[in-house]
Amino acid sequence: MTGRYPADVDVAIVGSGPTGAAYARILSERAPGATIAMFEVGPTVSDPPGAHVKNISDPDERAKAQARSEGPFASEGGERVGGIVKTAQRRARPGTFLLEQGYQVEGEDGLPVAAFSSNVGGMAAHWTGACPRPNDGERIGFLDERGVFDELLDEGDRLLGVTSTAFDSSPHASLVRERLAAVEDDGREPHERVQRMPLAVHRRDDGRLVWSGSDVVMGDATRENPNFRLFDESLVTRVLRSEGRAAGVSVTDLRTGESHEVRARFVVVAADALRTPQLLWASGIRPEALGRYLNDQAQIVFAVRIRDFVPAPEEEGAGPAGLSEYSGVTWVPFTDDLPFHGQVMQLDASPVKLAEDDPAAPGSIVGLGLFCAKDLQASDRVEFSEDAVDGYGLPAMTVHYTLTDRDHAVIDRAKTEIVRLGKAIGEPLDDRPFMMPLGASLHYQGSTRMGVQDDGTSVVSPDSEVWGAPGLFLGGNGVIPTATACNPTLTSVALAVAGARRIAADLASSPE
Ligand code: FAD
């Protein structure tokens, strides 16, 4: 042992979000004899570890869990805690904290509300759980050519516990879907039509909704694996290599301040799309594409009051806990012709609260969100400083990010489209749609992108192994090479499945 850590393991995983958890789960299933150590810089805030904080029924306890997830200076009730972005101000969503500095360079658009979560379970302890499949240009062509992409996405569904029926009893969900379908479905293939959003949520026998977090991804297979250990409050500061090959990690125990080296045959870094390239940079692993092709989804929002709304009898006296049940979540899939991903939800469950003080009947207001796919550029990137550091003492970040003319054209189209969709459902609450500050989607991608060859435009192979660093695998939205508009977690969990299978196969072929 070294401190509270083992001196060596087969696999070290950095980050306990859903993609790190996917590696742990697949390895537990396919290589049960392998020793695995997972390191997470944040604290454990829910039970089982990694569980979604929405499953915590006591609102004070839930707020505490959110506050403890908010980074190196997290404080319960402090300045940085929570709030929902309603204007162009920099405000973080509960459970997240913003990039303090370097989020915008003069003359560029930047990512003013680029955010992180630091807790066991990562952002998936706070997420909405929308798990749509990528479509058309969002798909990863070389994985489709190999015929593996859909099977990996199926595995992602299994690990995340994705269902489409949790809101089937919602009184207004089918009305919303029917009205959207009437104006949108013409000419679309069946899988592209307006439909229920696949969600990482299930309903317990007593009727209560349980949102999936990393706890569900890990599952009993990981929790009951005697060779798996999760270490919270453990900051990985460096990936160690020996003759180019991954050889372990340096980790600082935040409880004692002591640093340790844990040797490992394989290292997985799944530390989010900004901190994964940061850790590689800090470790001197700096492929040309590292941090580049960064892309976020510009998010347009609009709210309407459902036309001819008839409250369902069971809505009388319903408390806030039940509010998200009324209109469910509806999905308008991305297509190459309409390059936006639509998420339509009752506002109480939506990422945006536009009608906080509206006396309207519960469930009568729905929020529409259209996420736009970015025009990819190598120059959109996160850079790391040689000397300045962030709140964790790792290389400080500077984001270079600019919307192109094509991006502006897509955003303008999305604004027109969202009004059309909104008016199909009901009466608009505002004259015009609102564009959230860049970074609000929380879907940062591309910074450690996957490719078929080491040609300077990608960081990892189709198995998520870093070019030129055998034994080092990555997880997270940063690995996604396409500009998706849809919520990316299902896709990044699917890609993590392939990486974990490769490690399991390598362990089997070269047991130590
Ligand atoms: P994360 O979940 O970010 O986990 C990374 C972990 O690594 C963190 O816990 C972090 O603390 C840890 N870490 C970082 N650096 C280090 C280090 N050096 N040492 C040790 N640990 C480290 N996505 C969807 O697909 N659908 C949605 O509906 C959706 N809704 C969202 C709503 C909200 C409010 C939020 C906050 C996010 C939402 N997302 C959604 C995004 C989704 O949560 C992320 O895509 C997903 O969690 C990414 O998983 P990950 O494992 O790659 O990274």
Side-chain angles (χ1 to χ4, degrees), residues 14-19 39-41 93 96 117-119 122-124 126-130 234-236 270-272 275 442-443 476-477 487-489:
V14 186
S16 66
T19 61
F39 302 99
E40 166 55 54
V41 66
R93 303 268 295 277
T96 71
S117 293
S118 284
N119 54 276
M123 276 196 179
H126 312 283
W127 71 328
T128 309
S234 298
L235 172 69
V236 173
D272 81 39
R275 288 183 283 180
L442 304 163
H443 299 162
N477 302 331
N487 321 65
T489 310

Side-chain angles (χ1 to χ4, degrees), residues 242-468:
S242 169
E243 295 171 9
R245 197 187 154 81
V249 293
S250 288
V251 54
T252 301
D253 185 344
L254 298 185
R255 296 181 191 165
T256 62
E258 285 169 11
S259 291
H260 302 271
E261 287 196 351
V262 176
R263 313 303 297 183
R265 294 174 64 196
F266 295 88
V267 175
V268 176
V269 183
D272 81 39
L274 297 173
R275 288 183 283 180
T276 294
Q278 179 190 47
L279 185 57
L280 265 60
W281 173 271
S283 310
I285 302 165
R286 301 175 179 181
E288 200 181 324
L290 190 75
R292 292 187 175 274
Y293 303 95
L294 178 64
N295 65 102
D296 168 53
Q297 302 163 348
Q299 194 181 350
I300 314 300
V301 294
F302 197 51
V304 299
R305 192 182 306 265
I306 298 178
R307 187 178 309 111
D308 306 327
F309 181 80
V310 182
E314 63 270 30
E315 287 169 24
E316 301 284 328
L323 285 178
S324 62
E325 310 256 345
Y326 293 138
S327 47
V329 186
T330 295
W331 174 27
V332 185
F334 168 99
T335 66
D336 286 343
D337 291 338
L338 275 174
F340 337 107
H341 159 77
Q343 188 166 315
V344 181
M345 337 163 47
Q346 181 200 330
L347 268 190
D348 307 87
S350 152
V352 229
K353 266 197 177 173
L354 295 175
E356 212 159 17
D357 52 357
D358 195 297
S364 64
I365 308 288
V366 291
L368 297 94
L370 284 184
F371 296 80
C372 304
K374 176 84 173 74
D375 184 16
L376 292 186
Q377 317 182 89
S379 56
D380 290 328
R381 65 196 186 279
V382 52
E383 280 183 354
F384 304 99
S385 172
E386 295 285 1
D387 38 35
V389 293
D390 67 7
Y392 286 114
L394 284 163
M397 301 181 191
T398 301
V399 170
H400 290 274
Y401 198 79
T402 309
L403 296 177
T404 66
D405 290 345
R406 212 158 95 197
D407 287 323
H408 286 291
V410 169
I411 288 166
D412 287 346
R413 273 185 74 192
K415 286 181 176 167
T416 307
E417 179 68 7
I418 205 168
V419 172
R420 193 175 74 87
L421 293 175
K423 285 185 173 169
I425 301 172
E427 314 308 334
L429 295 186
D430 281 308
D431 299 344
R432 51 187 114 79
F434 174 74
M435 178 164 138
M436 305 283 277
L438 291 172
S441 76
L442 304 163
H443 299 162
Y444 322 125
Q445 307 167 106
S447 54
T448 53
R449 71 206 293 255
M450 182 180 276
V452 281
Q453 58 193 21
D454 182 8
D455 61 1
T457 66
S458 61
V459 173
V460 298
S461 71
D463 288 336
S464 294
E465 190 173 26
V466 175
W467 298 121

